């Protein structure tokens, strides 16, 4: 595996095993804060985290390849729930850890005050592009979340695939986690989008801000409106409503239009008392 560009800074952090990370900061119910950080700013951020953080280390690897397949109804009920900021929202996906071939079917429920609850079911990697074998699990999770627009017993189809590399940090003093996602890629049936120069940094806490949140705030970086599913789909399908992520899309996903080439100097024509330019 090619190491990430911030690997030297990552190597300075003490490691933590997966079992201890899960034991200390599973955080299935949590508050998430997401930030978009330029890739070249990550080494400095990690250097400042040395007293506060440990990095997930599995057999010497500290960066891991992920693939997520997001499912939605034909009418995109999940997407529109996010676009219109409905109080209770849902997201259904499979997540595959490509380096270990481990796969999970996940249902994420967003409730009041930004609280996110995640339900997970071990899944076969060969089934990751369908929810058919996990439909009963999905129905139970959506029913538990009381999401009115959720398709309990309804049809869900794959809509978007995301791929990226993830580094996970444990912050022991607050028992919180931080994920750093790079090499971001989105793909639907017709288009592919890459975002190579930006990382998505996400803090996952019970409620209070973590040391990473405070370091980012001190440097002038504020939480960004971004959802890998919804923002990525909006970038690939400009006809969809995108109000919550419009600023993020404009700054990071959609290139600025090329400058209008300067034309020849205008000729001034004088006609009697009037002056016009052509």
């Amino acid at each position: 595996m090619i190491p990430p560009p911030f690997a030297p800074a990552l190597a300075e952090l003490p490691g933590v095993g997966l079992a201890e990370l899960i034991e200390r900061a599973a955080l299935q119910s949590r508050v998430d804060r997401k930030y978009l950080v330029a890739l070249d700013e990550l080494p400095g951020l990690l250097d400042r985290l040395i007293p506060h953080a440990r990095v997930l280390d599995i057999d010497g690897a500290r960066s891991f390849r992920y693939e997520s397949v997001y499912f939605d109804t034909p009418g995109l009920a999940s997407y529109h729930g996010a676009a219109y900021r409905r109080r209770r929202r849902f997201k259904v996906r499979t997540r595959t850890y490509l380096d270990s071939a481990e796969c999970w079917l996940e249902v994420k429920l967003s409730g009041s005050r930004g609280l996110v609850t995640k339900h997970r079911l071990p899944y076969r990697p060969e089934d990751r592009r369908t929810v058919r074998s996990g439909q009963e699990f999905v129905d139970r999770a959506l029913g538990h979340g009381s999401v009115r627009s959720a398709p309990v017993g309804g049809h869900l189809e794959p809509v978007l695939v995301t791929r990226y590399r993830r580094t996970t940090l444990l912050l022991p003093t607050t028992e919180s986690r931080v994920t750093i996602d790079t090499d971001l890629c989105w793909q639907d049936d017709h288009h592919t989008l890459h975002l190579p120069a930006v990382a998505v940094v996400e803090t996952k806490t019970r409620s209070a801000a973590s040391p990473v949140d405070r370091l980012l705030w001190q440097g002038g970086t504020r939480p960004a409106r971004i959802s890998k599913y919804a923002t990525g789909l909006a970038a690939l399908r400009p006809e969809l409503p995108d109000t919550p992520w419009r600023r993020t899309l404009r700054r990071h996903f959609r290139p600025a239009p090329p400058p209008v080439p300067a034309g020849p100097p205008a000729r001034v024509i004088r006609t009697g008392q009037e002056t016009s330019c052509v």
Side-chain angles (χ1 to χ4, degrees), residues 126-138:
E126 57 268 31
D127 290 340
R128 67 184 185 273
R129 293 179 183 259
T130 177
V131 298
R132 194 173 297 114
S133 58
Q135 187 67 57
E136 184 179 346
F137 163 79
V138 172

Side-chain angles (χ1 to χ4, degrees), residues 6 15 41 45 63 65-66 105 113 134 149 153 176 190 240 271:
F6 51 93
E41 294 178 11
L45 175 64
S63 178
R65 295 177 301 148
Y66 281 48
L105 175 61
R113 301 182 180 180
S149 60
S176 57
H190 306 288
L240 292 174
T271 56

Side-chain angles (χ1 to χ4, degrees), residues 76-136:
L76 300 180
S78 174
Y79 177 87
H80 285 98
Y84 294 117
R85 309 303 296 168
R86 295 196 174 108
R87 184 170 175 266
R88 294 183 181 274
R89 305 183 296 278
F90 74 96
K91 194 178 297 178
V92 178
R93 72 186 179 201
T94 58
R95 168 163 288 173
T96 305
Y97 304 88
L98 297 175
D99 298 301
S100 64
E102 181 183 352
C103 184
W104 296 81
L105 175 61
E106 300 181 344
V107 179
K108 293 181 73 175
L109 304 171
S110 299
S112 59
R113 301 182 180 180
L115 184 65
V116 176
T117 302
K118 183 164 69 174
H119 303 265
R120 308 181 84 202
L121 176 73
Y123 217 54
R124 297 194 308 172
E126 57 268 31
D127 290 340
R128 67 184 185 273
R129 293 179 183 259
T130 177
V131 298
R132 194 173 297 114
S133 58
Q135 187 67 57
E136 184 179 346

Side-chain angles (χ1 to χ4, degrees), residues 14 16 35 49 53 69 73-74 85 97 100 109 116 147 152-153 169 222-223 235 239 246 264 275 277:
V16 62
Y35 306 84
L49 284 175
V69 181
T73 66
R85 309 303 296 168
Y97 304 88
S100 64
L109 304 171
V116 176
V147 184
V152 176
L169 307 179
R222 292 292 182 267
E239 73 277 6
R246 192 165 295 163
T275 301
C277 296

Side-chain angles (χ1 to χ4, degrees), residues 1 3-4 7 10-11 15-17 55-64:
M1 181 190 301
L10 207 59
V16 62
V55 59
L56 176 63
D57 186 303
I58 301 177
D59 297 328
R62 296 188 167 195
S63 178
F64 307 93

Side-chain angles (χ1 to χ4, degrees), residues 163 176 217 273:
R163 299 182 184 91
S176 57
W217 297 345
Q273 301 299 316

